């Protein structure tokens, strides 16, 4: 174990920026300077409460959080950055409710702004259907083939950023993120539970493009070209105003759902986000050889945020693989409800093992642990700062140097860094925040840590 106690060599990462030293909740400075890493974000945006999400994000040392309504005015939103997720959706009348009566002005506005499947049909039958929220309520997609739509949305999202920022309290803009970012759009033929499937506009129009409303001008021949123009325009104008802004995309699978669409375009490099993360469970983001063959990304630009994997084995596989390659693992949008993951609606419901394992790669990245000191054999992951096995998960939080631990089996025992050999052990609450010292749950003898109380299997502990 001694070789893992050596001071980590400097690891250069394309995603790192300025250095910072933060204090823990007791006001104690972390003992080392760590690099700021935009990949260390807490991406839950569709569930939970602002109070819980902010408190948890800060406790775990997340640098940024996905914005939810009301967050800017929350008392605990100081000193954390925010991403806007699919920001264009908040800038126009996105949803159509078949049970609602619309005025003629509303019908005209929507029909001239969103993608259409058949302009000759009456409202709402003319509209290309996006995600179905219910059998009678569905999303629309912007008509990106219109330059005026692109210009309106870009200006609108940047105005929203300016309105949300609270620079005096450190609540500052981090960037934009998109779920389902493919250029062909997020269109659906019917309600998902009724057998609906994701399609493209070609399903209705026989080409990659919407049917043109007679009162609008289509600058772009295809929907893909229009959406590409939206991304490029937004990227350019955002960088002019916010040079440090980052862009994140979460396709189902990086190559088949995004890179394949752009790799042969002349503007391909302009469409590559800073981080491309996989919604699908598993490690396809690195095992699909076409990802690297595309020449558009490297491992530090890849990761997984799948809400579809619950078991210890599946999460260990993703975390160990991501950590060993300098990739990332985390959350995006929701905690679960698909695959074998329960439909958790609050971070308080998420097991401690899932909370911890999804930060291990990020924490090792922030510690700048060299890749040759990150050992993953397909079963166990070990680095100078972290350990993942079927029995124990532990990792050092880089901003406070607290050691976070979860035991998964009875009487589990593991070696830990010598600096924690005479430390205090704290139980934690549902937000992984210290909730009192314990002297009976864990025994530390020398640099070996052992679980004494089997009833504490799965609980979170902090050693500091």
């Amino acid at each position: 174990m001694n070789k893992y106690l050596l001071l980590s060599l400097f690891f250069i990462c394309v995603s790192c920026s300025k250095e910072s030293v933060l204090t823990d909740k007791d006001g104690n400075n972390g003992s080392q300077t760590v690099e700021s890493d935009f990949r260390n974000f807490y991406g839950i945006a569709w569930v939970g409460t602002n109070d819980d999400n902010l408190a948890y994000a800060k406790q775990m040392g997340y640098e940024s959080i996905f914005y939810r309504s009301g967050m800017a005015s929350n008392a605990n939103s100081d000193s954390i950055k925010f991403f806007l997720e699919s920001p264009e959706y908040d800038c126009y009348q996105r949803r159509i409710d078949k049970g609602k009566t619309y005025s003629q002005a509303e019908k005209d506005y929507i029909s001239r702004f969103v993608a259409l499947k058949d302009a000759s049909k009456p409202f709402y039958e003319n509209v290309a259907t996006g995600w179905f929220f219910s059998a009678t309520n569905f999303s629309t997609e912007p008509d990106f083939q219109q330059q005026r739509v692109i210009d309106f949305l870009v200006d609108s999202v940047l105005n929203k950023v300016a309105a949300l920022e609270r620079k005096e309290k450190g609540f500052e803009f981090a960037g934009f993120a998109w779920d389902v970012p493919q250029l062909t759009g997020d269109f659906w033929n019917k309600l998902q539970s009724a057998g609906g499937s994701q399609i493209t506009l070609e399903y209705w129009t026989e080409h990659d493009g919407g049917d043109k409303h007679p009162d609008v001008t289509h600058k772009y021949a295809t929907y893909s070209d229009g959406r590409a123009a939206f991304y490029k325009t937004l990227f350019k104008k955002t960088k002019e105003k916010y040079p440090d802004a980052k862009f994140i995309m979460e396709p189902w699978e990086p190559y088949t759902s995004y890179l394949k669409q752009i790799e042969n375009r002349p503007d391909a490099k302009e469409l590559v986000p800073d981080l491309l993360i996989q919604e699908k469970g598993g490690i396809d983001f690195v095992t699909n050889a076409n990802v690297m063959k595309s020449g558009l990304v490297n491992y530090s630009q890849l990761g997984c945020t799948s809400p579809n994997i619950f078991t210890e084995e599946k999460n260990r596989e993703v975390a160990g693989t991501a950590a060993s390659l300098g990739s990332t693992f985390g959350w995006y949008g929701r905690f679960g409800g698909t695959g074998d993951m329960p439909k958790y609606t609050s971070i308080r419901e998420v097991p401690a093992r899932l909370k911890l394992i999804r930060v291990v790669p990020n924490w090792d990245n922030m510690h700048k642990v060299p890749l040759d000191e990150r050992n993953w054999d397909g079963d166990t992951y070990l680095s100078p700062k972290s350990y993942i096995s079927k029995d124990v998960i532990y990792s050092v939080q880089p901003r406070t140097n607290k050691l976070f631990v979860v035991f998964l089996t009875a009487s589990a025992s593991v070696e830990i860094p010598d600096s924690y050999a005479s430390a205090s052990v704290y139980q934690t609450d549902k937000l992984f925040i210290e909730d009192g010292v314990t002297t009976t749950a864990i025994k530390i003898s020398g640099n070996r840590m052992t679980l004494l109380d089997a009833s504490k299997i799965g609980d979170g502990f902090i050693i500091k």
Side-chain angles (χ1 to χ4, degrees), residues 19 131 161 217 311:
E19 293 185 342
W131 178 263
V161 169
T217 299
T311 65

Side-chain angles (χ1 to χ4, degrees), residues 155 252 315 380 391 429 450:
D155 290 343
W252 177 248
N315 279 271
T380 301
D391 300 309
D429 62 15
T450 304

Side-chain angles (χ1 to χ4, degrees), residues 11 39 283 285-286 299-300 302 316-329 360-362 364-365 369-383 386 388:
F11 171 56
R39 298 173 299 170
I283 56 174
F285 65 100
V286 292
Y299 289 131
S300 69
L302 296 167
R316 176 159 39 105
E317 177 188 43
V318 174
T321 301
S324 67
L325 295 171
S327 301
T328 191
F329 191 25
V360 173
N362 302 340
D364 273 7
N365 290 339
V369 176
L371 294 184
D372 61 6
E373 294 188 22
R374 307 184 190 197
N375 296 277
W376 166 243
D377 62 8
D379 182 65
T380 301
Y381 174 78
L382 177 64
S383 82
S386 304
I388 304 172

Side-chain angles (χ1 to χ4, degrees), residues 40-241:
N40 184 40
F41 65 88
Y42 181 61
I44 295 301
W46 308 327
V47 293
T49 68
N50 286 340
D51 285 341
D52 281 354
N53 287 340
L54 283 165
Y56 175 74
K58 288 189 169 185
Q59 173 67 1
M60 302 302 283
Y62 283 109
E63 179 174 315
S64 56
I65 191 168
F66 276 22
Y67 183 80
R68 299 181 74 237
S69 179
M71 191 171 282
S73 59
N74 190 285
N76 202 27
S77 65
D78 60 301
S79 304
I80 194 166
K81 297 179 181 179
F82 66 91
F83 279 90
L84 290 183
E85 198 279 327
S86 300
E88 65 273 17
Y89 280 149
D90 290 333
C91 299
Y92 71 100
Q93 192 168 340
R94 176 191 179 189
R95 293 194 185 197
I96 288 180
D97 185 346
K98 294 180 180 181
K100 176 182 175 181
T101 299
Y102 291 87
S103 68
Q104 189 59 48
E106 288 176 314
K107 294 177 183 178
D108 291 343
Y109 166 79
I110 296 171
S111 297
R112 293 186 178 104
F113 194 90
V114 305
L116 303 180
K117 61 182 179 183
D118 189 343
S120 68
K121 290 187 176 181
F123 182 84
Y124 50 84
E125 294 177 13
N126 60 339
V127 175
T129 50
W131 178 263
F132 280 82
F133 299 100
S134 71
T136 60
N137 193 305
F138 63 87
S139 173
T140 63
E141 293 290 300
D143 184 4
F144 288 121
Q145 291 176 258
Q146 298 182 56
Q147 187 63 50
R148 73 171 186 94
V149 170
I150 292 174
D151 293 340
F152 172 82
L153 291 174
V154 169
D155 290 343
S156 296
V157 297
L158 288 175
N159 287 338
K160 181 175 181 177
V161 169
L164 292 176
E165 275 201 309
R166 301 289 187 271
K167 291 187 176 181
E168 71 281 359
K169 61 185 290 188
F171 188 65
E172 300 184 60
F173 177 59
F176 297 118
W178 287 272
D179 176 37
V180 195
Q182 60 258 31
L183 299 186
T184 50
D186 187 18
F187 296 99
W188 290 75
N189 58 359
K190 64 176 73 171
L191 181 68
Q192 292 72 25
S193 61
S197 58
Q198 190 179 54
I199 54 174
T200 68
L201 285 167
E202 187 175 1
Y203 177 83
W204 296 294
T205 66
E206 298 185 349
H207 73 285
D208 178 18
D211 196 19
K212 191 183 81 67
H213 189 283
D215 296 339
V216 307
T217 299
H218 274 180
K219 178 178 178 179
Y220 302 97
T222 68
Y223 196 80
S224 293
D225 283 343
R227 189 159 186 178
F230 166 69
Y231 284 143
K232 291 188 294 184
T233 303
L234 182 60
F235 290 178
K236 181 177 182 294
K237 290 196 173 184
T238 300
K239 284 290 191 178
E240 289 173 355
K241 191 172 183 180

Side-chain angles (χ1 to χ4, degrees), residues 275-296:
L275 183 62
L276 193 62
I277 43 181
Q278 176 174 295
E279 182 178 2
K280 177 184 177 182
I283 56 174
D284 298 64
F285 65 100
V286 292
T287 58
N288 186 335
N290 289 316
V291 174
M292 288 297 125
K293 285 181 180 178
S294 73
L296 295 173

